[in-house]
Amino acid sequence: MPHLDALETRPHAQRVAEQYARLPAQLAYAREHSPAYAQALAGLDLSAVTDAQALAGLPVTRKSALIEQQQACPPFGGYAAMAAGAASRVFASPGPIYEPQGPGEDFWRMSRALYAAGFRSGDIVHNTFSYHFTPGGFMLDSGARALGCAVFPAGVGQTEQQVMALRDIGATGYTGTPSFLKIILDKADELGIALPRLNKALVTGEALPNSLRQQFEARGIQVRQCYATADLGLIAYESQPGEGLVVDEGIVLELVKPGTGELVADGDVGEVVVTPLHNRAYPLVRFATGDLSAFLDSAGSCGRSNRRIKGWLGRADQTAKIKGMFVHPAQIHAIGPRHPALGRLRLVVERVNDLDHMTLHAESADSDAALRQAVADSLRELTKLKGEVCLCAPGSLANDGKIIDDQRPLA
């Protein structure tokens, strides 16, 4: 069976009609049960929100504002329709930003992306997303088990043990970042261990360069990618390489001019704004992810009829996703007060040997190795990622307001 269900192949006009028929009830539920939306949607005629233009008239909820809003109204900023104690789990993503997990077998709807990537009942999935703090591990875990797969909760790190488990358990599928899959396969080569059963992967959290995809395919591993967030779950997924990402059936996706709620023209790059249609636990409305993308005009070859986006085309703000983790400008700003000897700071993100690499450039009259190490420790503590530190002369960094300089190619 090439598709998970009939939703994927229904005529697109039917899809739009059915989604907008459902939308007013979801919006009304958010206003009735979420304190934040009781205020944001007060006085609006939600029964009239039955097309794209009407939806575009509603206020945008910005991910970039959640940290401050959650601090003012912990833990979810008033956006959840449940108390923290009623959630299945509560997670903390970098920021920190807190998210609830509501009820349901596949709360984040990840099974659709896994199915398109070739995962089926009876597969053994080696899941390398973290089960600690962030929901990534549970997102893929629940989606795989909803399909009838067995899951090995590998988590991150311990590369040699990862290889041994892949060999001993005979996992047929991998979920995680593409860079960590490369690290695992390189370690397997170093150890002289073959992994002949591993034949498919669903990757996310960072870019998948064509060069890296080709390396995986040369090993007999079919790799597909998806786009998901901790707040929203699955947003879009790949069915065939080079044909963009198919928008998930459980959301309404808009592209707006960054910093506004105004829709962009077809084909133009805009900020991804998402309204889930079924999530009663965390009923976000017009949630602006901060990511940029554009719609594709052409249909794919797989028979799925929903619209497609080009994938990740950058950030509307300076936030960067590095090794699957978001790094915010505020986290880099926070390094300065810890080290009075520092001036301007700029985090440069590059792609080196198909892996993300970050270097913090910090102005300082002091080039002492102890200071460099202390700054590196602060960088790792605040971002949860390891990076290099380059101390440079005062006044040498451009005074242009840029804190994160993401120099990675988009493909």
Side-chain angles (χ1 to χ4, degrees):
M1 183 176 176
H3 305 111
L4 180 64
D5 54 35
L7 295 177
E8 295 182 355
T9 56
R10 58 185 159 166
H12 187 59
Q14 177 186 341
R15 173 182 294 107
V16 172
E18 291 173 351
Q19 289 182 337
Y20 278 104
R22 182 184 181 90
L23 186 58
Q26 176 70 5
L27 297 174
Y29 186 91
R31 182 167 64 185
E32 182 178 351
H33 294 88
S34 160
Y37 287 120
Q39 180 177 356
L41 302 178
L44 298 177
D45 182 7
L46 300 181
S47 65
V49 184
T50 56
D51 58 34
Q53 289 303 319
L55 179 59
L58 300 183
V60 169
T61 304
R62 297 210 163 274
K63 184 182 182 82
S64 58
L66 275 187
I67 297 174
E68 182 178 342
Q69 291 167 330
Q70 290 188 350
Q71 289 173 349
C73 183
F76 306 126
Y79 289 101
M82 59 164 57
S88 299
R89 296 183 180 91
V90 177
F91 300 98
S93 296
I97 295 175
Y98 298 98
E99 306 100 3
Q101 178 186 351
E105 180 183 44
D106 185 14
F107 176 70
W108 295 279
R109 310 176 314 282
M110 297 301 297
S111 57
R112 194 173 298 281
L114 286 157
Y115 195 91
F119 289 75
R120 298 291 186 271
S121 178
D123 274 318
I124 302 174
V125 181
H126 189 91
N127 183 23
T128 65
F129 281 112
S130 175
Y131 287 76
H132 176 68
F133 269 69
T134 62
F138 290 97
M139 290 171 69
L140 274 298
D141 188 299
S142 60
R145 289 189 297 110
L147 291 179
C149 303
V151 179
F152 177 72
V156 296
Q158 300 176 305
T159 312
E160 186 168 331
Q161 292 182 46
Q162 300 265 4
V163 173
M164 300 300 182
L166 277 161
R167 179 194 62 187
D168 296 343
I169 297 172
T172 51
Y174 165 94
T175 51
T177 64
S179 61
F180 194 49
L181 178 56
K182 174 178 168 55
I183 289 169
I184 289 174
L185 294 174
D186 288 347
K187 175 60 71 171
D189 289 345
E190 177 186 324
L191 297 172
I193 293 175
L195 302 172
R197 297 200 63 193
L198 184 62
N199 57 40
K200 64 181 73 71
L202 179 67
V203 300
T204 187
E206 61 190 30
L208 173 61
N210 287 332
S211 59
L212 192 54
R213 190 200 296 269
Q214 290 167 4
Q215 291 179 42
F216 296 146
E217 291 182 347
R219 292 173 172 265
I221 303 173
Q222 173 186 283
V223 180
R224 298 291 183 266
Q225 56 188 322
C226 70
Y227 168 31
T229 72
D231 325 86
L232 298 163
L234 181 64
I235 296 175
Y237 60 96
E238 189 175 50
S239 58
Q240 293 294 331
E243 296 185 356
L245 304 182
V246 185
V247 176
D248 178 54
E249 298 293 335
I251 64 170
V252 174
L253 188 151
E254 305 169 272
L255 296 177
V256 306
K257 296 178 180 178
T260 77
E262 183 182 346
L263 299 176
V264 301
D266 272 358
D268 287 354
V269 174
E271 182 178 6
V272 175
V273 171
V274 174
T275 303
L277 291 166
H278 309 282
N279 192 336
R280 293 294 176 95
Y282 200 31
L284 297 170
V285 177
R286 300 201 78 206
F287 188 76
T289 63
D291 294 323
L292 297 175
S293 193
F295 284 118
L296 290 171
D297 291 331
S298 58
S301 61
C302 67
R304 293 173 175 86
S305 57
N306 206 350
R307 298 201 72 180
R308 295 166 183 260
I309 58 174
K310 290 184 178 180
W312 188 81
L313 298 179
R315 291 288 296 177
D317 57 20
Q318 292 185 43
T319 300
K321 184 178 278 189
I322 306 168
K323 298 180 180 178
M325 302 284 280
F326 279 112
V327 177
H328 303 274
Q331 293 169 287
I332 305 305
H333 276 301
I335 295 172
R338 295 187 174 199
H339 306 282
L342 301 183
R344 286 196 193 96
L345 303 172
R346 175 170 298 195
L347 185 72
V348 176
V349 188
E350 301 169 287
R351 202 128 179 92
V352 179
N353 295 326
D354 290 319
L355 300 176
D356 289 344
H357 180 83
M358 65 181 195
T359 303
L360 179 66
H361 295 259
E363 292 183 355
S364 175
D366 186 352
S367 59
D368 183 67
L371 174 62
R372 186 183 299 108
Q373 183 59 53
V375 174
D377 291 343
S378 293
L379 176 65
R380 185 166 191 171
E381 180 182 344
L382 289 165
T383 66
K384 312 305 180 189
L385 294 168
K386 185 178 180 180
E388 294 184 9
V389 172
C390 175
L391 299 178
C392 52
S396 61
L397 294 180
N399 184 19
D400 57 5
K402 183 173 285 189
I403 302 300
I404 299 178
D405 183 8
D406 193 342
Q407 299 181 1
R408 293 171 296 183
L410 295 178

